[in-house]
Amino acid sequence: DQQVKQNSPSLSVQEGRISILNCDYTNSMFDYFLWYKKYPAEGPTFLISISSIKDKNEDGRFTVFLNKSAKHLSLHIVPSQPGDSAVYFCAASGRNYGQNFVFGPGTRLSVLP
Amino acid sequence: DGGITQSPKYLFRKEGQNVTLSCEQNLNHDAMYWYRQDPGQGLRLIYYSQIVNDFQKGDIAEGYSVSREKKESFPLTVTSAQKNPTAFYLCASRKGQTPNEKLFFGSGTQLSVL
């Protein structure tokens, strides 16, 4: 059973609009969450993170929101740009030392010019 | 420039053949990881190593083997026992093991079966 879910395999958005990518998790012990962005045939690159003591973290055009009670987080990209077209992975980890990240299946974002 | 180098970028395996994927990092990171990516699936952990000369199985270790003789290097061997090896393989590292230490990834190796 997947512990980290990204239920939308793909998303298309017009350039300049907001992109909202969603992630749900089942393990209440997850305490730290990251978003990675991946272009085809390349390795993922870190985008933004959030820990469970916060409900929002912002970095430029990227904002991550965390709703612990719903076990849900979302990544907002405003405004969306064609270069944002990529696969976005959500990852989660517990709070203990040495725990590994669990990745979701990814959402492919296409930003249309 | 510090980073993680994976080679080769593309690799083909014949039936019954073992192949080895290289991963080298010059980030002075203690922990290294191997993930496998299949279409429509997340990154699944094959093996990881938290320190030199030590490694642990991840979620899908069957048919794979690793070694960690040097801090910088963590090669992955895909053995003939791995019946479905076609996938994109990613090596990653991180400095420590605290939860907020993010992973850094290499550019990946695409393995295909001939």
Side-chain angles (χ1 to χ4, degrees), chain A residues 43-112:
Chain A
T45 55
F46 170 76
L47 200 53
I48 193 168
S49 64
I50 190 166
S51 74
S52 61
I53 61 172
K54 293 186 171 183
D55 55 16
K56 177 182 173 181
N57 189 24
E58 198 170 349
D59 184 1
R61 296 187 297 116
F62 303 92
T63 303
V64 56
F65 296 92
L66 174 62
N67 182 336
K68 279 201 74 177
S69 60
K71 296 191 183 70
H72 175 84
L73 62 156
S74 60
L75 174 68
H76 293 214
I77 306 173
V78 184
S80 301
Q81 300 173 353
D84 296 328
S85 297
V87 176
Y88 290 78
F89 291 100
C90 171
S93 170
R95 64 178 65 93
N96 294 327
Y97 183 89
Q99 290 202 310
N100 296 317
F101 288 105
V102 178
F103 285 82
T107 296
R108 180 177 301 280
L109 173 66
S110 300
V111 180
L112 310 172

Side-chain angles (χ1 to χ4, degrees), chain B residues 22-63:
Chain B
S22 169
C23 178
E24 303 278 331
Q25 56 102 354
N26 61 3
L27 298 167
N28 198 33
H29 285 175
D30 289 318
M32 297 187 74
Y33 304 79
W34 275 104
Y35 288 89
R36 169 180 170 141
Q37 184 193 8
D38 294 279
Q41 297 200 38
L43 307 182
R44 293 185 292 166
L45 183 63
I46 305 172
Y47 266 99
Y48 64 102
S49 167
Q50 296 173 327
I51 197 168
V52 176
N53 292 322
D54 188 41
F55 49 83
Q56 286 81 39
K57 293 181 179 180
D59 301 319
I60 54 165
E62 187 174 349

Side-chain angles (χ1 to χ4, degrees), chain A residues 32 36 41 43 95 98-99 104, chain B residues 9 33 37 42 94 97 99 103 106:
Chain A
Y32 193 71
Y36 280 84
R95 64 178 65 93
Q99 290 202 310
Chain B
K9 193 155 182 69
Y33 304 79
Q37 184 193 8
R94 62 176 177 166
Q97 294 286 299
L103 287 166

